[in-house]
Amino acid sequence: MISGTTKLIAHLGYPTHSFKAPLIYNPYFDKHDIDAIVVPMGCKAEDYPAFLKLVFRLSNIHGALVTMPHKITTMGLLGEVSRSARVAGACNAVRLGADGTLIGDMFDGEGFVRGVLRRGRQVRGSRAMMTGAGGVGSAIAASLAQAGIAELSLYDAHAPMMDGLAERLRLNYPDLRVVTGSADPAGYEIVVNATPLGMNESDPLPLDVSRISPSAFVGEVVLKQEITPFLAAVRARGCEFQVGIDMLFEQIPAYLEFFGFPTTTAEELRSIARV
């Protein structure tokens, strides 16, 4: 039930037909009698800068979830952004500060890190290798850095993208060892595919699986199917792994905390989601 006291969370992006967040957040709010709702709001790129400021003029607005194509644009429209957002170069959550300042953060990578930690794996002091330095890869790199990873090896076929992410990491985390240019996962405790390889049946594997240690923890970002060819290969090698959809459910508790709502677990969200 929506009333005059309901807190609105705008889900900003375009187009809206593929939005999944309302089908996860709203059942959770309903179950726990939280007077809030996530509302999809389709906003085209050319209208977005003006619209974001206007939507936060609403007296009952509580925050915004930001998705494509607005995550990068949002960075220049805020009064304050987190270090994770600066490293990622993008923002996917906005809330009002006490003085009316718009505050932004990035949680796309937080779901990956929380999933690793929940499985009892160590991030702080570990070494990770990631292929793919685009939007989701940058977010994962930012969250790994924040969680205290000691070394991060980056590879992307588009060198300027890879080098840009490496530069932002070094600037914001000067103690982090950043390596670029090698797609060899040998010797790393955490290995991540942050490329779209696996979306199509004809795609090659993103990494040489024979070079991944069986003791490594492997992560996937592709959502099209739960067990991608890459994950099937690392599973056969004996690796523990995380499927792409896990990142979605694992990051939502972090969003809830950012917005000041009672938090929950990925398991509960999976059990009540209407995705």
Side-chain angles (χ1 to χ4, degrees), residues 25 65-66 92-93 107-108 251-260:
Y25 285 87
L65 305 174
V66 180
N92 68 355
F107 296 110
D108 279 350
Q251 71 183 263
I252 290 176
Y255 277 106
L256 293 170
E257 294 155 19
F258 176 75
F259 289 128

Side-chain angles (χ1 to χ4, degrees), residues 6-18:
T6 302
K7 295 176 178 179
L8 300 183
I9 300 175
H11 191 183
L12 303 173
Y14 184 83
T16 62
H17 65 267
S18 62

